[in-house]
């Protein structure tokens, strides 16, 4: 395929960012586009594993804290931790969908609600209503790192995750130059929180081709 064929397939507007970042070199632009796709693919694995261990830690914590195996459904009701949460409508929708299909269980609800639901639990109001105990899921967190800082950093990871989910590039800086610092810093942030949760990153990701170091370096070298 010629470059104009790729423009027709992917759109001129989408490819133009890569072309500009590569000083008009069409071959490099296409290579960078593919490297960005590969980098996003790598992060799907990293983010997927992180999301699972993160939400499971929160879920187990609140099951113990509330003494309730179905705490999410309980806490969206009046007087609950989540009664005025912007997450209520989504949680209610998932509960109805699962119940209507005769498939409702708490575990299925846990896997259905979004990553945004879990990060929201570190916001000031739900954190306080939840007994200000949620930081206990991070036994190895940096000393002195509090609720607000953790919430902000989790929101950065969420924003990064959403960029990938919406097929947005992660290989540019704010000015459109080729740059992997954004991806690298988020990668480091994810690994930091994996460590905070008490996992060894090499063991957690063992045997899985998910770590994006080589692709990051290829983009740097392009």
């Amino acid at each position: 395929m010629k470059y104009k064929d790729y423009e027709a397939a992917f759109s001129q507007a989408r490819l133009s960012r890569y072309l500009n970042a590569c000083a008009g070199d069409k071959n490099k632009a296409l290579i960078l586009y593919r490297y960005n796709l590969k980098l996003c693919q790598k992060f799907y694995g990293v983010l997927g594993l992180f999301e699972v261990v993160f939400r499971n830690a929160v879920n187990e914590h609140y099951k113990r804290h509330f003494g309730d195996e179905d705490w999410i459904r309980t806490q969206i009701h009046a007087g609950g931790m989540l009664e005025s949460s912007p997450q209520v409508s989504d949680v209610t929708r998932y509960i109805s969908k699962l119940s209507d299909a005769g498939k409702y269980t708490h575990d299925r609800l846990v896997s259905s609600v979004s990553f945004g639901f879990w990060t929201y639990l570190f916001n000031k109001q739900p954190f306080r209503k939840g007994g200000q105990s949620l930081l206990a899921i991070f036994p190895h967190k940096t000393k002195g790192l509090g609720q607000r800082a953790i919430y902000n950093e989790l929101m950065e990871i969420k924003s990064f995750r959403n960029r990938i989910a919406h097929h947005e590039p992660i290989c540019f800086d704010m000015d459109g130059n080729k740059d992997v610092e954004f991806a690298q810093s988020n990668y480091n942030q994810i690994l930091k929180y994996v460590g905070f949760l008490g996992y060894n990153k090499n063991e957690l990701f063992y045997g899985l081709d998910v770590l994006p170091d080589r692709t990051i370096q290829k983009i740097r070298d392009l």
Side-chain angles (χ1 to χ4, degrees), residues 10 17 23 47 55 63 66 70 76 78 113 122 126 132 134 141 143 162 164 193 196 203 208 210 215 222:
F10 302 145
R17 297 186 64 182
L47 287 161
R55 77 186 185 201
K63 283 201 297 186
F66 292 117
D70 200 12
I76 64 173
V113 294
F122 287 84
Q132 303 185 72
L134 193 51
K141 75 176 182 68
K143 186 177 180 180
N162 288 347
I164 293 173
Y193 275 86
F196 284 179
E203 294 176 353
L208 299 176
V210 295
T215 307
L222 183 64

Side-chain angles (χ1 to χ4, degrees), residues 12-217:
Q12 183 180 21
R14 174 172 288 269
L15 279 185
S16 66
R17 297 186 64 182
Y18 298 86
L19 189 63
N20 291 338
C22 294
D25 188 314
K26 294 179 179 179
N27 184 54
K28 283 188 176 182
L30 292 174
I31 292 172
L32 179 60
Y33 187 83
R34 294 189 182 99
Y35 280 167
N36 180 75
L37 288 176
K38 185 175 290 187
L39 187 59
C40 290
Q41 288 173 344
K42 298 287 187 181
F43 271 112
Y44 271 119
V46 173
L47 287 161
L49 284 172
F50 172 68
E51 183 170 348
V52 168
V53 298
F54 172 63
R55 77 186 185 201
N56 286 349
V58 174
N59 178 48
E60 291 302 318
H61 172 80
Y62 275 139
K63 283 201 297 186
R64 291 190 301 269
H65 177 76
F66 292 117
D68 183 357
E69 294 290 315
D70 200 12
W71 66 272
I72 298 176
R73 184 156 64 171
T74 301
Q75 294 301 318
I76 64 173
H77 295 142
M81 175 178 70
L82 299 168
E83 66 170 326
S84 59
S85 163
Q87 304 290 331
V88 168
S89 59
D90 283 342
V91 173
T92 302
R93 177 167 52 85
Y94 285 122
I95 291 173
S96 297
K97 184 177 180 180
L98 290 167
S99 297
D100 290 346
K103 295 182 178 180
Y104 179 83
T105 66
H106 176 75
D107 287 340
R108 285 197 176 108
L109 181 59
V110 166
S111 62
S112 296
V113 294
S114 69
F115 184 65
F117 170 83
W118 302 104
T119 57
Y120 172 75
L121 296 178
F122 287 84
N123 201 354
K124 183 178 180 180
Q125 182 173 337
F127 180 79
R128 179 177 53 81
K129 285 189 172 184
Q132 303 185 72
S133 61
L134 193 51
L135 298 189
I137 73 165
F138 298 123
H140 299 289
K141 75 176 182 68
T142 303
K143 186 177 180 180
L145 193 66
Q147 168 266 326
R148 180 182 293 183
I150 286 177
Y151 173 69
N152 289 338
E153 290 182 350
L154 289 173
M155 288 298 289
E156 289 175 5
I157 294 175
K158 176 195 167 196
S159 177
F160 180 66
R161 175 193 180 278
N162 288 347
R163 284 193 66 81
I164 293 173
H166 296 146
H167 310 293
E168 295 293 330
I170 57 173
C171 61
F172 301 125
D173 63 18
M174 295 295 292
D175 297 318
N177 301 308
K178 178 176 68 72
D179 185 79
V180 289
E181 294 311 309
F182 173 66
Q184 183 70 63
S185 64
N186 277 278
Y187 177 41
N188 293 340
Q189 193 89 292
I190 293 164
L191 295 186
K192 181 176 78 173
Y193 275 86
V194 165
F196 284 179
L197 286 164
Y199 294 100
N200 180 296
K201 65 181 178 63
N202 295 322
E203 294 176 353
L204 185 65
F205 298 135
Y206 178 77
L208 299 176
D209 182 24
V210 295
L211 302 181
D213 300 302
R214 291 182 181 178
T215 307
I216 285 175
Q217 190 58 50

